Amino acid sequence: MKLAYYPGCVAQESGRELDMATRWVCQALGIELVSFPSFSCCGSGFVDEANEVLNVALNARNLAIAEKAGLDLLTICSTCQGMLTLANLRLTDPKIRARVDAALTPLGIQYRGTTQVKHLLRVLTEDVGIEKIRAKVVRPLAGLKVGAFYGCHLLRPSDEMRWQTGEEPHAFEDLLAAVGADPVYYRGRVMCCGFPIQFVKPETASRIAGRQIDDAKAHGADAMATPCPLCHISLDAYQNQASKAVGHELNMPVFHLPQVVGLALGATPEQLGLPRHLVPTGPALAKIGTRAHA
Amino acid sequence: MFADEKLITVPFDVYRYDPAHGGEPRYQHYELRLAPHTPILTGLLRIRDEMDPTLTLRYSCRSAICGSCAMLVNSKSRLACHTPVGPEVKEHGRIVVDPMRNQPILRDLVVDQQPFWSRYEKMEPHLILDPKHPMPEGQTTAMSPAQVERFKETPRCISCAACFSACPAVEADPAFPGPMALAKLYRFVVDPRDTAQTHRLQKIQTEGLWLCLRCHLCTEACPKDVRPSERIRDLKELAVQAQGGTEAGSRHAIGFLHNIEERGTLNELKLVRQTSGIGGLAASLPQGVRIWRKKPELTQSPPPIEGLDQVKKIYSTLKDDKSEES
Ligand code: SF4
Ligand code: SF4
Ligand code: FES
C-alpha cells in the first residue's frame, strides 16, 4: 500500500513523536509513505472560521497534489482528517467550487475531486485489517486498560465524515483489543479535549480536558490513547493545568494511536518517542513489562 | 404496529429521584415486551400506566413536534418519542434513561429548563428595527427565496434542548450561551429585516461566541438537523469579517490565517503571541518552558513549504472574498 503522507503541522513540530511512531508502524506493516514538502497546513478549523472559501481552496490544493501523484492521502490527526474531508465535500457545492476554481485555475491547479482522505485509524482497521495486525503482535498489551479518545473531527458531523456513528464509534476499541489491551468505554471518549479554546479561555479548556481524563480514570483506565495530536497537547502537555482545574493530580499517561500499535508490534519506547511526553508513560509500560530509558 | 413484527424483551433502567420526598437518586429496573420500532417514550408511558404511576416525565405531542420529551438514552441526548427501542437494545442490551444534562433535575426525568431559556432570551430573539439603521433601500419585509435560504435550518428548531444537554462548553462554562441560542442568533444576524447586526455581533463576541469548541456534538444530538455548530461557524466568520480581531477568539482565527500565509505551515510560538499578546505570552511562559524541555522544536520556526508562492496567490485572490452575499 502506498499513500501520500500528510503529517500535519504538530507532528512536524512539537508532536514529532507522533511522526516517529507513524513511520515505524507503517514500515512494520508495509505501508509506503510518500512525502510532499509542498503540503500546506489544513487550517485546523481556525482558518475555516475566518474565511471558509480560502480554507477550502488551500485544502483543494493539498488534495490536488495527492491526486496528481495518483495517491490517496493519509492523515494522522483528527482535525486534519476533518478539514480535508470537509474540503472534498464543500467542493461539491457549485458556488464554492466556482470561487475556489477562480483562485486555483490561474495557478494551473486542477482538482478533479478523486483524492480519498484516510486517517491512520481507518487505514489500520479497514485497509490493513484488524486480523493482520493481531497476527503481527509480538508484545501483547495484556492487562493494560486503555481509554480511547477519538477527537471530534474524526467522527463528526457523522453524516459528513461518513464513517462510524458520531457518539458510539468502536474502531479504536476494536484495534486496542486486537493488540491485547483492554479497551475502556467511557462517555468522555467522544467528547472534546478543550484544545480549540486553549488560547481563548484556558481555565475552561483545562476543565474540559480534566473532565474527560477523570472520566477515563473513573472507568479504570491505566492510560489513554488518541488519534489526534491536538488532543494530545490538551491531554498530555497541558495535563498539569487540567489537574489544577479539577483539583487533583490526574497522572494519566496518554499515547498517540501509532504508539500503542508500535509497542505491541515490538518497537522500543525510544523508537516511538515516548520519552518526549510530559506525563511519564513509565507506569503504563511497567504493566506490559517494558520500560522507557528517560 | 406491524402484525408480524416479533416482540423483543426491552430492559429499562430508569433514573428515579424525588427531592421533595427525600431519598437518593437511583435506577429502577423494568422489563417490557415491545416491537423493535416502538418509541422509547411509548415504553416509558406503558411503565407509568401499567407498572408505576409515580414515574414522572414530560411529553406532549408524541410526534417529534413539541420538543418536550428530550432525555438521555444510553447517555445520548435524544427525543424519547423519536428514538426506537430496537437499535438501542441491539447496541447496549438495555436502555438506560436519564434526565437531560446541564439543567437541574426536578423529579425523575423532568428537568428545570430555566438555564436553557434564560440564555436564549439574552440573544434578543426577535426582529430589531433600529430607526438609526433603516433597512437598505428597496428591502421590504417580504424576503426573497435566496434570503430565506440563508437561514433555512434554524426555523426547524423545536426548542427541545437536546443540543444544550449534549454541549461540553455549556457543561464547563456558565458564560457560554449554548448551541440553540447561538443558532437562533445567527438567524437574526442574517435576516435582512433586522438592522441590529453590528450590535448583535459585538455583544456576542464578548458573551461567549468564541467558547464554542466546534465539537459538533450539538449537531449530532439535534433531532431536526438545525446543525447549530455550523451556524456558529457562520457567525464567527461574519464576526471576523465585520469586526476584525477584537477578542482573543477572533484574534486567534485571524492570527492563524496570517500565520499560514507566511510559511504555509503553522508557527506555534508566533501564533500564541498574536492571540495573547506579549503579556499573554509571558503568562504562558512557565508552561511553555515545561513543554519546551521535552519538545525543543517548539521554539524553532518551521521551514517554508515548497510552492509557497501558490499559497500566497490563493490568499490574494480569496482574502477579501466575503463568505455570503448580504
Ligand atoms: S459545537 Fe459548540 S455549541 Fe455545539 S456542542 Fe460543541 S461546543 Fe457546544
Ligand atoms: S437546535 Fe435542535 S437540538 Fe437544539 S433545541 Fe433546537 S431542535 Fe432541539
Ligand atoms: S413528545 Fe413532543 S417531541 Fe417528543
Side-chain angles (χ1 to χ4, degrees):
Chain A
M1 196 185 325
K2 194 167 156 183
L3 294 164
Y5 179 41
Y6 187 91
C9 301
V10 175
Q12 297 177 87
E13 296 171 30
S14 67
R16 217 162 275 188
E17 68 280 0
L18 169 59
D19 176 63
M20 294 162 69
T22 303
R23 289 178 188 277
W24 193 96
V25 165
C26 287
Q27 187 164 28
L29 294 171
I31 302 169
E32 189 185 334
L33 301 180
V34 184
S35 292
F36 294 88
S38 46
F39 279 148
S40 69
C41 169
C42 76
S44 191
F46 294 107
V47 175
D48 182 42
E49 290 175 344
N51 187 331
E52 177 186 21
V53 174
L54 176 59
N55 193 51
V56 174
L58 291 171
N59 282 322
R61 176 181 166 278
N62 287 327
L63 294 163
I65 292 168
E67 184 176 71
K68 200 166 170 197
L71 298 171
D72 283 335
L73 186 142
L74 173 75
T75 67
I76 52 172
C77 168
S78 296
T79 302
C80 295
Q81 177 69 21
M83 287 302 125
L84 288 155
T85 307
L86 277 185
N88 254 342
L89 212 75
R90 289 183 186 163
L91 283 166
T92 60
D93 175 338
K95 274 197 239 147
I96 294 185
R97 177 91 215 189
R99 288 153 76 192
V100 168
D101 282 348
L104 297 188
T105 313
L107 305 175
I109 301 173
Q110 252 166 25
Y111 177 52
R112 285 177 290 121
T114 62
T115 305
Q116 282 202 50
V117 184
K118 294 177 170 182
H119 189 283
L120 180 63
L121 182 58
R122 287 189 75 163
V123 171
L124 294 180
T125 54
E126 290 167 14
D127 299 342
V128 176
I130 295 267
E131 288 318 312
K132 182 167 170 204
I133 292 175
R134 196 195 312 273
K136 290 202 170 229
V137 170
V138 297
R139 184 198 286 136
L141 310 184
L144 191 66
K145 297 202 181 73
V146 184
F149 189 90
Y150 280 82
C152 300
H153 300 281
L154 183 58
L155 301 171
R156 292 183 296 266
S158 59
D159 55 352
E160 295 183 333
M161 292 305 127
R162 295 179 196 159
W163 185 39
Q164 307 216 308
T165 77
E167 295 153 298
E168 297 181 324
H170 55 80
F172 204 166
E173 285 81 2
D174 296 348
L175 181 63
L176 289 170
V179 297
D182 288 336
V184 172
Y185 288 83
Y186 62 109
R187 174 190 168 225
R189 72 199 179 96
V190 296
M191 299 290 284
C192 178
C193 69
F195 180 82
I197 58 166
Q198 183 63 52
F199 298 103
V200 177
K201 204 166 175 184
E203 55 293 6
T204 302
S206 295
R207 205 174 307 136
I208 293 170
R211 199 180 281 267
Q212 320 313 349
I213 300 171
D214 249 348
D215 191 20
K217 214 175 183 146
H219 286 78
D222 304 313
M224 292 167 77
T226 178
C228 179
L230 304 183
C231 296
H232 198 268
I233 292 177
S234 244
L235 300 174
D236 178 65
Y238 282 83
Q239 193 180 113
N240 59 327
Q241 305 292 339
S243 291
K244 255 187 235 159
V246 296
H248 54 264
E249 279 304 315
L250 290 161
N251 288 327
M252 175 66 78
V254 185
F255 293 103
H256 293 281
L257 157 73
Q259 289 175 330
V260 263
V261 178
L263 279 173
L265 300 189
T268 65
E270 288 71 24
Q271 284 170 320
L272 302 171
L274 288 174
R276 294 171 48 89
H277 289 206
L278 272 287
V279 181
T281 50
L285 295 180
K287 290 222 166 190
I288 53 166
T290 184
R291 61 193 191 89
H293 292 295
Chain B
M1 189 178 301
F2 307 104
D4 56 354
E5 193 174 18
K6 282 220 176 66
L7 299 187
I8 55 168
T9 299
V10 182
F12 280 93
D13 286 308
V14 182
Y15 180 93
R16 303 300 308 271
Y17 179 45
D18 182 0
H21 294 87
E24 290 296 302
R26 65 199 157 88
Y27 286 94
Q28 195 158 347
H29 188 78
Y30 306 94
E31 279 189 17
L32 291 174
R33 298 277 299 162
L34 296 169
H37 74 271
T38 311
I40 286 168
L41 179 64
T42 306
L44 293 172
L45 293 178
R46 273 194 48 191
I47 292 172
R48 189 192 67 182
D49 295 343
E50 297 168 17
M51 304 158 95
D52 188 344
T54 66
L55 179 62
T56 311
L57 66 160
R58 193 186 265 140
Y59 72 99
S60 174
C61 70
R62 305 173 70 162
S63 318
I65 294 167
C66 72
S68 53
C69 70
M71 53 186 74
L72 300 186
V73 173
N74 287 329
S75 182
K76 305 173 294 271
S77 298
R78 290 287 183 272
L79 289 183
C81 70
H82 196 53
T83 310
V85 294
E88 290 300 322
V89 173
K90 204 165 161 203
E91 179 73 24
H92 297 277
R94 59 182 185 150
I95 297 178
V96 183
V97 186
D98 288 272
M100 278 193 284
R101 294 194 183 91
N102 300 334
Q103 296 148 90
I105 298 162
L106 294 175
R107 180 172 162 170
D108 294 346
L109 301 172
V110 179
V111 296
D112 177 0
Q113 290 192 312
Q114 213 269 333
F116 172 70
W117 289 114
S118 63
R119 282 169 169 87
Y120 171 62
E121 277 153 23
K122 277 200 192 144
M123 299 299 114
E124 304 175 81
H126 46 82
L127 286 177
I128 298 176
L129 293 169
D130 181 350
K132 279 192 287 208
H133 301 97
M135 284 195 282
E137 191 76 40
Q139 175 71 46
T140 65
T141 48
M143 284 185 283
S144 70
Q147 288 172 328
V148 178
E149 179 76 13
R150 284 189 74 185
F151 54 87
K152 64 179 190 301
E153 292 97 349
T154 330
R156 295 182 203 141
C157 173
I158 56 172
S159 307
C160 67
C163 56
F164 191 83
S165 162
C167 174
V170 168
E171 188 173 314
D173 199 321
F176 185 61
M180 174 270 206
L182 288 170
K184 290 285 171 92
L185 178 69
Y186 166 80
R187 177 238 174 287
F188 289 104
V189 168
V190 299
D191 190 317
R193 300 164 300 175
D194 190 276
T195 54
Q197 285 90 345
T198 308
H199 155 76
R200 290 184 190 276
L201 288 174
Q202 261 164 3
K203 183 158 168 255
I204 200 59
Q205 286 217 71
T206 57
E207 291 182 6
L209 174 63
W210 294 100
L211 292 177
C212 168
L213 302 152
R214 64 179 118 80
C215 69
H216 301 298
L217 281 158
C218 50
T219 292
E220 216 62 38
C222 176
K224 294 292 171 187
D225 206 28
V226 173
R227 310 185 80 81
S229 52
E230 294 176 1
R231 301 297 72 78
I232 296 169
R233 191 217 67 83
D234 294 342
L235 261 184
K236 286 175 175 171
E237 185 171 0
L238 289 167
V240 164
Q241 291 184 351
Q243 297 172 351
T246 56
E247 303 303 313
S250 46
R251 269 201 304 281
H252 194 68
I254 294 170
F256 211 105
L257 190 83
H258 295 324
N259 201 295
I260 294 170
E261 187 178 7
E262 272 169 36
R263 289 167 191 274
T265 178
L266 179 66
N267 182 342
E268 290 174 308
L269 195 67
K270 187 160 184 196
L271 183 63
V272 177
R273 201 175 65 225
Q274 276 165 334
T275 305
S276 320
I278 298 294
L281 190 66
S284 51
L285 197 64
Q287 182 69 14
V289 170
R290 263 188 93 245
I291 299 173
W292 172 78
R293 283 214 183 98
K294 295 278 189 174
K295 302 171 179 240
E297 304 81 11
L298 198 64
T299 52
Q300 295 160 12
S301 306
I305 61 161
E306 284 176 17
L308 182 60
D309 53 321
Q310 289 185 337
V311 166
K312 287 190 189 283
K313 281 187 186 135
I314 295 173
Y315 266 80
S316 67
T317 313
L318 293 176
K319 206 163 14 184
D320 301 316
D321 188 313
K322 296 285 185 228
S323 69
E324 306 265 351
E325 66 289 352
S326 38

